[in-house]
Structure formats: structure tokens, C-alpha cells
Amino acid sequence: MSILLALKGMDIPAWVAGLKEALPDHPIVLADEDYDPAAIDYAVVWQPDDALFRPLSNLKVIFSAGAGVDHILRHPALPDVPIVRAVDTELSQRMTHYILSQVFFHHRKMFEVQAAQARGEWIMLDQPSASRIRVGIMGLGVLGTDAAEKLKLHGYDVAGWSRTEKQIDGIRTYSGEDGLDALLGWSDILVCLLPSTPATADILNYDLFSKLPQTGVLGGPVLINVGRGALQKEEDIIRALDDGTLMAASLDVFKVEPLPQDSPLWGHPRIVITPHVAADSDPAAFSRSIGTQVRKFESGKPLDNQVDKTVGY
Ligand code: NDP
Ligand code: OXD
């Protein structure tokens, strides 16, 4: 009943400690050690190497160390076992805090404030009430719903869009293609919390930005992308910012990560860049959740938060 940890770029000692506490009777092995592949029942992975899965002849479940599973589904030799994605209240809270921080930043016109500070100028800026700012969220899943509810609590007018229909108290909800146009035509701040799938690739493009209203109280539309870099056409973001189609953007995810030094996104004066840190996975919290799931699985109960491989999330 061994657990294999293959977690590129993550804090391995913290994960080992968390899983030892959650599942003390399950040996833990690391991907860069010698181990018997036939003894592995569970794999906890982040960006698994191409050679990882093939020898694991008795693998029963793959656990993603993140909420997104694009890093697993693109694997060239993915075994036909259930994939469980990360769902955790701490992760939702971290993501919601990030989104709130960026909505507050743009609402309170912090680019103007910083520019005035650089000039040594004392300026008074208009402060529109939150209820006059329309925040549209693409993706009303675990993270999108939490963010929508907390934005609403802070007084914003909030709507969201998902693949299937949803009902959330106090939030306008849209779905399907017509629904997307309705959301775009309404949103002063557009937050993207979609997964990376074939259907969402490059969805954040110039044509989409052109559908955002120019009439809102912020003076122009704002994009916040925390989903995945594969969703955004970066040259289109720059074009839209430079011609006023977008007023500003906060980007946490990029087509290539780390963002290459020569990317024009780095130096753009209307972009906030963060290095894919909107919501880090907390090893202790995720280990507890993996522990609960392994116990359920071993007592014959269904796993929670299983990925639907047909839709890709
Ligand atoms: P969920 O699977 O819970 O939610 C995904 C949402 O996207 C659902 O509402 C789903 O619709 C919607 N969706 C998917 N495909 C489409 C489509 N083609 N058209 C319209 N809506 C669609 O995921 P989470 O909320 O947990 O996470 C969302 C994403 O956030 C992750 O996949 C990951 O990429 C990203 N993420 C980024 C982090 C960061 O630090 N930057 C950290 C964690 C996650 P429906 O409800 O109908 O199924
Ligand atoms: C995730 C991420 O998917 O960190 O959890 O992006």
C-alpha cells in the first residue's frame, strides 16, 4: 500500500511529513529514489515525468497535488485509473484572497496612485462604490463559487459563467456560448478561473476582450487570469492594453512558466504579474484530504473530486 510522491518544484519534506501523519501505515517513497514500482498503489503528483507511470503496474489512484489536472491529463502514458484533484478550504481561501486583492487594487486605481507617488504628487481619485462595479467570473467551480460569494459580501455586483447551469444565491449565472457573451457584455472586471482543456485554450483573446464594456465606472475593462496560461493569448493582451480595449490586467499564470525574461508582459505599465502563486497547495491540508480519500477507497467507498476525463477537468 505504498504512496509514490512525484512533486516537481514542491516542498517534499512538508509533503512527506503531512502524509506520514495522515497515513502512518502507508510507506512513502520518492520518485527520485530506488523503489519497487509494483508496490506502488497511489501516486501523488505535480507535473509527472513522461516515464513515471508506465512501470506502476498496480497503481490504483492518482492524486493531483493541485486543483488543476492539465499537468496529468497531457501525460503521454496515462494509466486508466481514477484521478482525484485537490479540493481544500485553505486553497479556496488563498485563491479568494488573491482575487480580492486584485479587485481591490484595480477598484482603488492603484496604478494611478503608484504613478502619482512616483511623481511626488498628492492626488484625490474618484472612489466608485463597489456595488457599481460588475465582476464577471469565468468558471463557477469550487474556486469560482467561493470567490463569487466573497466578492458579493464585499459589495460587488457579481456574475459567473460555467459549462453547465448553476444557481448561486445573489449571483447572476450564465452558461453556454450565449451565456458567455452575456457575461462579457456586462463585466467591468473579468476574472478567469477556468481549467485548461481543449475547449478553453486561447479563450482569452482580442475578440473576447472586445466584448467587454467600455462604459463602466472604472474607465475600462480589467482582466484577472488565475486559471492557466494556456487560456490566454499574450500578444492579444498587450494589443488590447495598448489600444484601450483593456484598461489593466493582473496575470498569475502564463503560457510558459517561469515567464521568460524577454516577455513584453514584464515591463508593461498596466499589468500586475505574479509568479503562479495565487493559491499554493498546502501540504498538510492536502495530505489530510488524501488520507481521508485513501481510507474511503480502501473501505470500498467512492472517491470524491474525481476528474471527468471526457471534459478534461
Ligand atoms: P472546478 O473543476 O471546480 O471548476 C471549473 C469551472 O470551470 C466549472 O464551473 C466548470 O463548469 C467551468 N468550465 C470548465 N470548462 C468550461 C467551458 N468549456 N465553458 C464554460 N465553463 C467551463 O475547478 P476549480 O474551481 O477547483 O479550479 C479552477 C482552475 O483554477 C483549475 O483548473 C486551475 O487551472 C486553476 N488554479 C490556479 C491556481 C493558481 O495558483 N493560479 C491554483 C488553483 C487552481 P461546470 O461547473 O459546468 O462544470
Ligand atoms: C493548482 C495550481 O492547480 O497551483 O492548484 O495551479
Side-chain angles (χ1 to χ4, degrees):
M1 287 293 163
S2 295
I3 305 175
L4 174 66
L5 286 191
L7 300 167
K8 211 167 278 169
M10 288 199 170
D11 181 353
I12 305 289
W15 276 92
V16 172
L19 282 166
K20 275 194 172 149
E21 199 174 327
L23 291 164
D25 46 349
H26 288 62
I28 294 164
V29 295
L30 303 182
D32 58 4
E33 294 173 347
D34 280 341
Y35 59 89
D36 172 10
I40 302 297
D41 290 278
Y42 309 104
V44 182
V45 305
W46 182 251
Q47 297 177 349
D49 283 342
D50 287 1
L52 186 79
F53 292 124
R54 214 184 300 271
L56 308 181
S57 49
N58 290 312
L59 187 67
K60 296 183 177 59
V61 184
I62 298 171
F63 291 96
S64 170
V69 288
D70 44 309
H71 65 109
I72 299 175
L73 293 179
R74 66 172 169 247
H75 196 277
L78 191 60
D80 187 17
V81 298
I83 301 171
V84 172
R85 62 186 210 90
V87 172
D88 168 52
T89 49
E90 175 68 31
L91 185 82
S92 300
Q93 190 175 67
R94 289 178 188 194
M95 178 57 83
T96 293
H97 286 171
Y98 179 91
I99 292 169
L100 284 170
S101 75
Q102 297 310 301
V103 168
F104 294 156
F105 182 93
H106 296 292
H107 175 181
R108 300 303 290 262
K109 304 190 163 115
M110 292 307 289
F111 275 135
E112 275 83 346
V113 173
Q114 289 171 339
Q117 179 179 346
R119 296 191 302 272
E121 194 183 329
W122 184 270
I123 54 162
M124 307 300 278
L125 293 169
D126 176 35
Q127 278 180 24
S129 107
S131 63
R132 295 179 62 211
I133 297 176
R134 300 164 296 182
V135 185
I137 304 182
M138 297 171 77
L140 277 182
V142 175
L143 300 179
T145 301
D146 190 68
E149 290 173 343
K150 303 300 167 13
L151 284 159
K152 183 81 198 164
L153 280 177
H154 282 82
Y156 293 96
D157 196 359
V158 185
W161 177 68
S162 48
R163 194 172 55 84
T164 57
E165 277 179 33
K166 297 262 165 327
Q167 282 199 340
I168 307 171
D169 267 1
I171 314 287
R172 289 160 210 255
T173 53
Y174 301 99
S175 60
E177 256 178 55
D178 295 349
L180 178 56
D181 277 358
L183 180 92
L184 297 172
W186 179 89
S187 303
D188 300 316
I189 299 181
L190 185 68
V191 178
C192 180
L193 257 173
L194 292 169
S196 169
T197 71
T200 61
D202 285 342
I203 193 169
L204 300 174
N205 56 46
Y206 191 83
D207 181 47
L208 178 142
F209 305 143
S210 309
K211 296 178 179 167
L212 296 166
Q214 287 290 335
T215 49
V217 291
L218 294 178
V222 174
L223 169 70
I224 299 174
N225 185 17
V226 274
R228 281 288 182 267
L231 277 60
Q232 72 197 11
K233 282 188 107 172
E234 290 169 359
E235 65 281 18
D236 286 17
I237 295 177
I238 303 236
R239 178 179 159 210
L241 286 166
D242 287 349
D243 73 8
T245 301
L246 282 176
M247 189 185 65
S250 294
L251 307 175
D252 183 57
V253 285
F254 303 91
K255 273 257 181 326
V256 177
E257 294 181 4
L259 182 63
Q261 272 311 311
D262 61 356
S263 167
L265 296 171
W266 279 116
H268 200 287
R270 310 291 303 178
I271 302 181
V272 176
I273 287 182
T274 50
H276 199 142
V277 291
D280 278 352
S281 306
D282 179 51
F286 275 26
S287 296
R288 281 193 293 278
S289 145
I290 291 170
T292 307
Q293 295 259 49
V294 166
R295 301 262 176 249
K296 283 179 90 170
F297 181 75
E298 290 178 355
S299 59
K301 299 199 180 100
L303 293 160
D304 302 320
N305 309 315
Q306 269 196 60
V307 172
D308 177 346
K309 294 176 196 167
T310 60
V311 287
Y313 66 95

